[in-house]
Amino acid sequence: MWELDLLLIPFLEHRYDALDEPDQAAFRTLIDEEDQDLFAWLMRREWPEAPAIRRIVKMIVEYAEDADNVVHRPV
């Protein structure tokens, strides 16, 4: 889904390398999930049950909502 790319790619490009190994592993696990689940989680309609996945989802959502990141968002 293109909408997911708008959230995941900027986070990957700008934050992934600074994550510790458990958070990087959670991100890699996250991107293997079904698009419908990712969409529900990243749109805050639901939260993942697994704590590590919930943590990385919240990090992505917070990053996407941070006004200071506007210059990094695709047009």
Side-chain angles (χ1 to χ4, degrees):
M1 289 183 143
W2 183 73
E3 297 87 355
L4 297 175
D5 291 346
L6 291 176
L7 295 171
L8 296 172
I9 291 173
F11 184 86
L12 176 65
E13 291 175 344
H14 300 270
R15 292 288 312 278
Y16 181 83
D17 289 339
L19 297 174
D20 60 21
E21 178 53 38
D23 287 335
Q24 287 182 353
F27 185 87
R28 291 189 303 268
T29 299
L30 176 73
I31 61 174
D32 286 334
E33 296 289 340
E34 295 292 328
D35 283 354
Q36 298 87 340
D37 293 331
L38 287 170
F39 189 79
W41 298 337
L42 293 170
M43 296 297 114
R44 295 196 216 181
R45 294 181 181 159
E46 300 173 10
W47 291 110
E49 290 184 27
I53 303 302
R54 187 178 319 118
R55 173 179 160 75
I56 197 70
V57 166
K58 287 182 179 183
M59 292 170 75
I60 294 166
V61 168
E62 288 171 4
Y63 180 79
E65 292 177 344
D66 187 353
D68 293 336
N69 293 323
V70 171
V71 296
H72 300 297
R73 292 185 184 149
V75 179

Coordinates of all heavy atoms in Angstrom, one line a residue:
M1 N 0.8 -1.2 0.0 CA 0.0 0.0 0.0 C 0.9 1.2 0.0 O 1.8 1.4 0.8 CB -0.9 0.1 1.2 CG -2.0 -0.9 1.3 SD -2.9 -0.6 2.8 CE -4.5 -0.9 2.3
W2 N 0.5 2.1 -0.9 CA 1.3 3.4 -1.0 C 1.2 4.2 0.3 O 2.2 4.8 0.7 CB 0.7 4.2 -2.2 CG 1.4 5.4 -2.5 CD1 2.6 5.6 -3.0 CD2 1.0 6.8 -2.2 NE1 3.0 6.9 -3.1 CE2 2.0 7.6 -2.6 CE3 -0.2 7.3 -1.6 CZ2 1.9 9.0 -2.5 CZ3 -0.3 8.7 -1.5 CH2 0.7 9.5 -1.9
E3 N 0.1 4.2 1.0 CA 0.0 5.0 2.2 C 1.0 4.5 3.3 O 1.5 5.3 4.0 CB -1.5 4.9 2.8 CG -2.5 5.5 1.9 CD -3.1 4.5 0.8 OE1 -2.5 3.4 0.7 OE2 -4.0 4.9 0.1
L4 N 1.2 3.2 3.3 CA 2.1 2.6 4.3 C 3.6 3.1 3.9 O 4.4 3.4 4.8 CB 2.0 1.1 4.3 CG 0.7 0.5 4.7 CD1 0.7 -1.0 4.6 CD2 0.4 0.9 6.2
D5 N 3.9 3.1 2.6 CA 5.2 3.6 2.2 C 5.5 5.0 2.7 O 6.6 5.3 3.0 CB 5.3 3.5 0.7 CG 5.4 2.1 0.2 OD1 5.6 1.1 1.0 OD2 5.2 1.9 -1.1
L6 N 4.4 5.8 2.7 CA 4.6 7.2 3.1 C 5.0 7.3 4.6 O 5.6 8.3 5.0 CB 3.3 8.0 2.9 CG 3.0 8.3 1.4 CD1 1.6 9.0 1.3 CD2 4.1 9.1 0.7
L7 N 4.7 6.3 5.4 CA 5.0 6.3 6.8 C 6.3 5.5 7.0 O 7.2 5.9 7.8 CB 3.9 5.7 7.6 CG 2.6 6.5 7.7 CD1 1.5 5.7 8.3 CD2 2.8 7.8 8.4
L8 N 6.5 4.4 6.4 CA 7.6 3.5 6.7 C 8.9 3.9 6.0 O 9.9 3.8 6.7 CB 7.2 2.1 6.2 CG 6.1 1.4 6.9 CD1 5.7 0.1 6.3 CD2 6.4 1.2 8.4
I9 N 8.9 4.4 4.8 CA 10.1 4.8 4.1 C 10.8 5.9 4.8 O 12.1 5.8 5.1 CB 9.9 5.0 2.6 CG1 9.5 3.6 2.0 CG2 11.1 5.6 2.0 CD1 9.1 3.7 0.5
P10 N 10.2 7.0 5.1 CA 10.9 8.1 5.8 C 11.5 7.6 7.2 O 12.6 8.0 7.5 CB 9.9 9.2 6.0 CG 8.9 9.0 5.0 CD 8.8 7.5 4.8
F11 N 10.7 6.8 7.9 CA 11.3 6.3 9.2 C 12.5 5.4 8.9 O 13.5 5.6 9.6 CB 10.2 5.5 9.9 CG 10.6 5.0 11.3 CD1 10.5 5.9 12.4 CD2 11.1 3.8 11.4 CE1 10.9 5.4 13.6 CE2 11.5 3.3 12.7 CZ 11.4 4.2 13.8
L12 N 12.4 4.6 7.9 CA 13.5 3.7 7.6 C 14.7 4.5 7.2 O 15.8 4.3 7.7 CB 13.1 2.8 6.4 CG 14.2 1.9 5.9 CD1 14.6 0.9 6.9 CD2 13.7 1.2 4.6
E13 N 14.5 5.5 6.4 CA 15.7 6.3 5.9 C 16.3 7.2 6.9 O 17.5 7.5 6.9 CB 15.2 7.2 4.7 CG 14.9 6.4 3.5 CD 14.3 7.2 2.3 OE1 13.9 8.4 2.6 OE2 14.3 6.7 1.2
H14 N 15.5 7.7 7.9 CA 16.0 8.7 8.8 C 16.2 8.2 10.3 O 16.9 8.9 11.0 CB 15.0 9.9 8.8 CG 14.9 10.5 7.5 ND1 15.8 11.5 7.0 CD2 14.1 10.3 6.4 CE1 15.5 11.9 5.8 NE2 14.5 11.1 5.4
R15 N 15.6 7.1 10.6 CA 15.7 6.7 12.0 C 16.2 5.3 12.2 O 16.7 5.0 13.3 CB 14.3 6.8 12.7 CG 13.7 8.1 12.9 CD 14.4 8.9 14.0 NE 14.5 8.2 15.2 CZ 13.6 8.1 16.2 NH1 12.4 8.6 16.0 NH2 13.9 7.4 17.3
Y16 N 16.0 4.4 11.2 CA 16.4 3.0 11.4 C 17.8 2.8 11.9 O 18.0 2.0 12.8 CB 16.1 2.2 10.1 CG 16.4 0.8 10.2 CD1 15.4 -0.1 10.7 CD2 17.6 0.2 9.8 CE1 15.7 -1.5 10.8 CE2 17.9 -1.1 9.9 CZ 16.9 -2.0 10.4 OH 17.2 -3.3 10.5
D17 N 18.7 3.4 11.3 CA 20.1 3.2 11.7 C 20.4 3.6 13.1 O 21.4 3.0 13.7 CB 21.1 4.0 10.7 CG 21.1 3.4 9.3 OD1 20.8 2.2 9.2 OD2 21.5 4.1 8.4
A18 N 19.7 4.5 13.7 CA 19.9 4.9 15.1 C 19.2 4.0 16.1 O 19.4 4.2 17.3 CB 19.4 6.4 15.2
L19 N 18.4 3.1 15.6 CA 17.7 2.2 16.5 C 18.6 1.2 17.1 O 19.6 0.8 16.4 CB 16.5 1.5 15.8 CG 15.4 2.3 15.2 CD1 14.5 1.4 14.4 CD2 14.7 3.1 16.3
D20 N 18.3 0.7 18.3 CA 19.1 -0.4 18.8 C 18.7 -1.7 18.1 O 17.7 -1.7 17.4 CB 19.0 -0.5 20.3 CG 17.6 -0.7 20.9 OD1 16.7 -1.2 20.1 OD2 17.4 -0.4 22.0
E21 N 19.4 -2.8 18.3 CA 19.2 -4.0 17.6 C 17.8 -4.6 17.9 O 17.1 -5.0 16.9 CB 20.2 -5.1 17.9 CG 20.0 -6.4 17.3 CD 19.8 -6.4 15.8 OE1 20.5 -5.6 15.1 OE2 19.0 -7.1 15.2
P22 N 17.3 -4.6 19.1 CA 15.9 -5.1 19.3 C 14.8 -4.3 18.5 O 13.9 -4.9 18.0 CB 15.7 -5.0 20.8 CG 17.0 -5.0 21.4 CD 17.9 -4.3 20.4
D23 N 15.0 -3.0 18.4 CA 14.0 -2.2 17.7 C 14.2 -2.4 16.2 O 13.2 -2.4 15.5 CB 14.2 -0.7 18.1 CG 13.6 -0.4 19.4 OD1 12.8 -1.1 20.0 OD2 14.1 0.6 20.0
Q24 N 15.4 -2.6 15.7 CA 15.6 -2.9 14.3 C 15.0 -4.2 14.0 O 14.3 -4.4 12.9 CB 17.1 -2.9 14.0 CG 17.7 -1.5 13.9 CD 19.2 -1.6 13.5 OE1 19.8 -2.6 13.4 NE2 19.8 -0.4 13.3
A25 N 15.1 -5.2 14.8 CA 14.5 -6.5 14.6 C 13.0 -6.4 14.6 O 12.3 -7.0 13.8 CB 15.0 -7.5 15.7
A26 N 12.4 -5.6 15.5 CA 11.0 -5.3 15.5 C 10.5 -4.7 14.2 O 9.5 -5.1 13.7 CB 10.6 -4.5 16.7
F27 N 11.3 -3.8 13.7 CA 10.9 -3.1 12.4 C 10.9 -4.1 11.3 O 10.0 -4.2 10.5 CB 11.9 -2.0 12.1 CG 11.5 -1.2 10.9 CD1 10.6 -0.2 10.9 CD2 12.0 -1.6 9.6 CE1 10.3 0.5 9.8 CE2 11.7 -0.9 8.5 CZ 10.8 0.2 8.5
R28 N 11.9 -5.0 11.3 CA 12.0 -6.0 10.2 C 10.8 -7.0 10.3 O 10.3 -7.4 9.3 CB 13.3 -6.8 10.3 CG 14.5 -5.9 9.9 CD 15.8 -6.7 9.7 NE 16.2 -7.4 10.9 CZ 17.0 -7.0 11.9 NH1 17.5 -5.7 11.8 NH2 17.3 -7.7 12.9
T29 N 10.5 -7.3 11.5 CA 9.3 -8.2 11.8 C 8.0 -7.5 11.3 O 7.2 -8.1 10.7 CB 9.2 -8.6 13.2 OG1 10.4 -9.3 13.6 CG2 8.0 -9.4 13.5
L30 N 7.9 -6.2 11.7 CA 6.7 -5.4 11.3 C 6.5 -5.4 9.8 O 5.4 -5.6 9.4 CB 6.9 -4.0 11.9 CG 5.8 -3.0 11.5 CD1 4.6 -3.3 12.3 CD2 6.3 -1.6 11.8
I31 N 7.5 -5.2 9.0 CA 7.3 -5.0 7.6 C 6.9 -6.3 6.9 O 6.4 -6.3 5.8 CB 8.5 -4.3 6.9 CG1 9.7 -5.2 7.0 CG2 8.6 -2.9 7.4 CD1 10.9 -4.6 6.2
D32 N 7.0 -7.4 7.6 CA 6.5 -8.7 7.1 C 5.0 -9.0 7.4 O 4.5 -10.0 7.0 CB 7.4 -9.9 7.6 CG 8.7 -9.9 7.0 OD1 8.9 -9.5 5.9 OD2 9.7 -10.5 7.6
E33 N 4.4 -8.1 8.2 CA 3.0 -8.3 8.6 C 2.1 -8.0 7.4 O 2.5 -7.3 6.4 CB 2.7 -7.4 9.7 CG 3.4 -7.7 11.0 CD 3.0 -9.0 11.7 OE1 1.8 -9.4 11.4 OE2 3.7 -9.5 12.5
E34 N 0.9 -8.4 7.5 CA -0.1 -8.1 6.4 C -0.4 -6.6 6.3 O -0.4 -5.9 7.3 CB -1.4 -8.8 6.7 CG -1.3 -10.3 6.7 CD -1.1 -10.9 5.3 OE1 -1.5 -10.3 4.3 OE2 -0.4 -11.9 5.2
D35 N -0.6 -6.1 5.1 CA -0.9 -4.7 4.9 C -2.1 -4.2 5.7 O -2.0 -3.1 6.2 CB -1.1 -4.4 3.4 CG 0.2 -4.4 2.6 OD1 1.3 -4.5 3.2 OD2 0.1 -4.2 1.4
Q36 N -3.1 -5.0 5.8 CA -4.3 -4.6 6.5 C -4.0 -4.4 8.0 O -4.5 -3.4 8.6 CB -5.4 -5.7 6.4 CG -5.9 -5.9 5.0 CD -5.1 -7.0 4.2 OE1 -3.9 -7.3 4.6 NE2 -5.6 -7.5 3.2
D37 N -3.1 -5.2 8.6 CA -2.8 -5.1 10.0 C -1.9 -3.8 10.1 O -2.1 -3.0 11.0 CB -2.0 -6.3 10.5 CG -2.9 -7.5 10.6 OD1 -4.1 -7.4 10.8 OD2 -2.3 -8.6 10.4
L38 N -0.9 -3.7 9.2 CA 0.0 -2.5 9.3 C -0.9 -1.2 9.2 O -0.6 -0.3 9.9 CB 1.0 -2.5 8.1 CG 2.1 -3.5 8.2 CD1 2.9 -3.6 6.9 CD2 3.0 -3.1 9.4
F39 N -1.8 -1.2 8.3 CA -2.6 0.0 8.1 C -3.4 0.3 9.4 O -3.5 1.5 9.8 CB -3.6 -0.2 6.9 CG -4.3 1.1 6.5 CD1 -3.7 2.1 5.8 CD2 -5.6 1.3 6.9 CE1 -4.3 3.2 5.5 CE2 -6.3 2.4 6.6 CZ -5.6 3.4 5.9
A40 N -4.0 -0.7 9.9 CA -4.8 -0.5 11.2 C -3.9 0.0 12.3 O -4.3 0.9 13.0 CB -5.5 -1.8 11.6
W41 N -2.7 -0.5 12.4 CA -1.8 -0.1 13.5 C -1.3 1.3 13.3 O -1.3 2.1 14.2 CB -0.7 -1.1 13.6 CG -1.0 -2.5 14.0 CD1 -2.2 -2.9 14.6 CD2 -0.3 -3.7 13.7 NE1 -2.2 -4.3 14.7 CE2 -1.0 -4.8 14.2 CE3 0.9 -3.9 13.1 CZ2 -0.6 -6.1 14.1 CZ3 1.4 -5.2 13.0 CH2 0.6 -6.3 13.5
L42 N -0.9 1.6 12.1 CA -0.3 2.9 11.8 C -1.3 4.0 11.7 O -0.9 5.2 11.9 CB 0.6 2.8 10.5 CG 1.8 1.9 10.6 CD1 2.4 1.7 9.2 CD2 2.8 2.5 11.6
M43 N -2.5 3.6 11.5 CA -3.6 4.6 11.6 C -4.3 4.7 13.0 O -5.2 5.4 13.2 CB -4.7 4.3 10.6 CG -4.2 4.4 9.1 SD -3.7 6.0 8.6 CE -2.0 5.8 8.4
R44 N -3.7 4.0 13.9 CA -4.1 3.9 15.3 C -5.5 3.4 15.5 O -6.2 3.8 16.4 CB -4.0 5.3 16.0 CG -2.6 5.8 16.1 CD -2.7 6.9 17.1 NE -1.7 7.9 16.7 CZ -1.6 9.0 17.4 NH1 -2.3 9.2 18.5 NH2 -0.7 9.9 17.1
R45 N -6.0 2.6 14.6 CA -7.3 1.9 14.8 C -7.2 0.8 15.7 O -8.2 0.4 16.4 CB -7.8 1.5 13.4 CG -8.1 2.7 12.5 CD -8.6 2.3 11.2 NE -8.9 3.4 10.4 CZ -9.0 3.4 9.1 NH1 -8.9 2.2 8.4 NH2 -9.2 4.5 8.4
E46 N -6.0 0.1 15.8 CA -5.7 -1.0 16.7 C -4.3 -0.9 17.0 O -3.5 -0.1 16.4 CB -5.9 -2.3 15.9 CG -7.3 -2.6 15.4 CD -7.4 -3.9 14.6 OE1 -6.4 -4.6 14.6 OE2 -8.4 -4.1 14.0
W47 N -3.9 -1.6 18.0 CA -2.4 -1.7 18.4 C -2.0 -3.2 18.4 O -2.8 -4.1 18.7 CB -2.2 -1.2 19.8 CG -2.3 0.3 19.9 CD1 -3.4 1.0 20.5 CD2 -1.5 1.3 19.3 NE1 -3.2 2.4 20.3 CE2 -2.1 2.6 19.6 CE3 -0.4 1.3 18.5 CZ2 -1.5 3.8 19.2 CZ3 0.2 2.5 18.1 CH2 -0.4 3.7 18.4
P48 N -0.8 -3.5 17.9 CA -0.3 -4.8 17.9 C -0.3 -5.4 19.3 O 0.0 -4.7 20.3 CB 1.1 -4.8 17.3 CG 1.3 -3.4 16.9 CD 0.2 -2.5 17.5
E49 N -0.5 -6.7 19.5 CA -0.4 -7.3 20.8 C 1.0 -7.5 21.3 O 1.3 -7.3 22.5 CB -1.1 -8.7 20.7 CG -2.6 -8.6 20.6 CD -3.2 -10.0 20.6 OE1 -2.7 -10.9 21.3 OE2 -4.3 -10.1 20.0
A50 N 1.9 -7.8 20.4 CA 3.3 -8.0 20.8 C 3.9 -6.6 21.3 O 3.9 -5.7 20.5 CB 4.1 -8.6 19.7
P51 N 4.5 -6.6 22.5 CA 5.0 -5.3 23.0 C 6.1 -4.7 22.1 O 6.2 -3.5 21.9 CB 5.6 -5.7 24.3 CG 4.9 -6.9 24.8 CD 4.5 -7.7 23.5
A52 N 7.0 -5.5 21.5 CA 8.1 -5.0 20.7 C 7.5 -4.4 19.4 O 8.0 -3.3 19.0 CB 9.1 -6.1 20.4
I53 N 6.5 -5.0 18.8 CA 5.9 -4.5 17.6 C 5.1 -3.2 18.0 O 5.1 -2.2 17.2 CB 5.0 -5.5 16.9 CG1 5.8 -6.8 16.6 CG2 4.3 -5.0 15.7 CD1 7.0 -6.5 15.7
R54 N 4.4 -3.2 19.1 CA 3.6 -2.1 19.5 C 4.6 -0.9 19.7 O 4.3 0.2 19.3 CB 2.9 -2.3 20.8 CG 2.0 -1.2 21.2 CD 1.2 -1.5 22.5 NE 0.7 -2.9 22.5 CZ 1.0 -3.8 23.5 NH1 1.9 -3.4 24.4 NH2 0.6 -5.0 23.5
R55 N 5.8 -1.1 20.3 CA 6.7 -0.1 20.5 C 7.2 0.5 19.2 O 7.2 1.8 19.1 CB 7.9 -0.6 21.3 CG 9.1 0.3 21.5 CD 10.2 -0.4 22.3 NE 11.5 0.3 22.1 CZ 11.8 1.5 22.6 NH1 11.0 2.1 23.4 NH2 13.0 2.0 22.4
I56 N 7.6 -0.3 18.2 CA 8.1 0.3 17.0 C 7.0 1.0 16.2 O 7.2 2.0 15.6 CB 8.8 -0.8 16.1 CG1 9.7 -0.2 15.0 CG2 7.8 -1.8 15.5 CD1 10.9 0.5 15.5
V57 N 5.7 0.5 16.3 CA 4.6 1.2 15.6 C 4.4 2.5 16.2 O 4.3 3.5 15.5 CB 3.3 0.3 15.7 CG1 2.1 1.2 15.4 CG2 3.4 -0.9 14.8
K58 N 4.5 2.6 17.5 CA 4.4 4.0 18.2 C 5.5 4.9 17.8 O 5.3 6.1 17.6 CB 4.3 3.8 19.7 CG 3.0 3.2 20.2 CD 2.9 3.1 21.7 CE 1.5 2.5 22.1 NZ 1.4 2.5 23.5
M59 N 6.7 4.3 17.6 CA 7.8 5.2 17.2 C 7.6 5.7 15.8 O 7.9 6.9 15.5 CB 9.1 4.4 17.3 CG 9.6 4.0 18.7 SD 10.9 2.8 18.7 CE 12.3 3.9 18.2
I60 N 7.1 4.9 14.9 CA 6.8 5.3 13.5 C 5.7 6.3 13.5 O 5.9 7.4 12.8 CB 6.5 4.1 12.7 CG1 7.7 3.1 12.5 CG2 6.0 4.5 11.3 CD1 7.3 1.8 12.0
V61 N 4.7 6.1 14.2 CA 3.6 7.1 14.3 C 4.0 8.4 14.8 O 3.7 9.5 14.3 CB 2.4 6.5 15.1 CG1 1.3 7.6 15.4 CG2 1.8 5.3 14.4
E62 N 4.8 8.4 15.9 CA 5.3 9.6 16.5 C 6.2 10.3 15.6 O 6.2 11.6 15.4 CB 6.0 9.3 17.8 CG 5.0 9.0 18.9 CD 5.7 8.5 20.2 OE1 6.9 8.5 20.3 OE2 5.0 8.0 21.1
Y63 N 7.1 9.6 14.9 CA 8.0 10.2 13.9 C 7.2 10.9 12.8 O 7.5 12.0 12.4 CB 8.9 9.2 13.3 CG 9.9 9.7 12.3 CD1 11.0 10.4 12.7 CD2 9.6 9.6 11.0 CE1 11.9 11.0 11.8 CE2 10.5 10.2 10.0 CZ 11.6 10.9 10.5 OH 12.5 11.4 9.6
A64 N 6.2 10.2 12.3 CA 5.3 10.7 11.2 C 4.6 12.0 11.6 O 4.4 12.9 10.8 CB 4.4 9.7 10.7
E65 N 4.2 12.1 12.9 CA 3.4 13.2 13.4 C 4.3 14.4 13.8 O 3.8 15.5 14.0 CB 2.5 12.8 14.5 CG 1.4 11.8 14.1 CD 0.6 11.3 15.2 OE1 1.0 11.5 16.4 OE2 -0.5 10.8 14.9
D66 N 5.6 14.2 13.9 CA 6.5 15.2 14.4 C 6.6 16.3 13.3 O 7.1 16.1 12.2 CB 7.9 14.6 14.7 CG 8.8 15.6 15.3 OD1 8.5 16.8 15.4 OD2 9.9 15.2 15.7
A67 N 6.2 17.5 13.6 CA 6.2 18.6 12.7 C 7.6 18.9 12.2 O 7.8 19.5 11.1 CB 5.6 19.9 13.4
D68 N 8.6 18.6 12.9 CA 10.0 18.9 12.5 C 10.4 18.0 11.3 O 11.4 18.2 10.7 CB 11.0 18.7 13.6 CG 10.8 19.7 14.7 OD1 10.3 20.8 14.4 OD2 11.2 19.5 15.9
N69 N 9.7 17.0 11.0 CA 10.0 16.0 10.0 C 9.4 16.4 8.6 O 9.5 15.7 7.7 CB 9.6 14.6 10.3 CG 10.4 14.1 11.5 OD1 11.6 14.4 11.6 ND2 9.7 13.4 12.4
V70 N 8.7 17.5 8.5 CA 8.0 17.9 7.3 C 8.9 17.9 6.1 O 8.6 17.5 5.0 CB 7.3 19.3 7.5 CG1 6.7 19.8 6.2 CG2 6.2 19.1 8.5
V71 N 10.1 18.4 6.3 CA 11.1 18.4 5.2 C 11.5 17.1 4.7 O 11.9 16.9 3.6 CB 12.4 19.2 5.5 CG1 12.0 20.7 5.9 CG2 13.1 18.6 6.7
H72 N 11.3 16.0 5.5 CA 11.6 14.7 5.1 C 10.5 13.9 4.4 O 10.7 12.8 3.9 CB 12.1 13.9 6.3 CG 13.3 14.5 6.9 ND1 14.5 14.6 6.3 CD2 13.5 15.0 8.2 CE1 15.4 15.2 7.1 NE2 14.8 15.4 8.3
R73 N 9.3 14.5 4.5 CA 8.1 13.7 3.9 C 8.1 13.9 2.4 O 8.3 15.0 1.9 CB 6.8 14.3 4.6 CG 6.8 13.9 6.0 CD 5.4 14.4 6.6 NE 5.5 14.1 8.0 CZ 4.8 14.8 8.9 NH1 4.1 15.8 8.5 NH2 4.9 14.5 10.2
P74 N 7.7 12.8 1.7 CA 7.6 12.9 0.3 C 6.4 13.8 -0.1 O 5.4 13.8 0.7 CB 7.4 11.5 -0.2 CG 7.0 10.7 1.1 CD 7.5 11.5 2.2
V75 N 6.4 14.4 -1.2 CA 5.3 15.3 -1.6 C 4.3 14.5 -2.4 O 4.6 13.6 -3.1 CB 5.9 16.5 -2.4 CG1 4.7 17.4 -2.9 CG2 6.9 17.2 -1.7

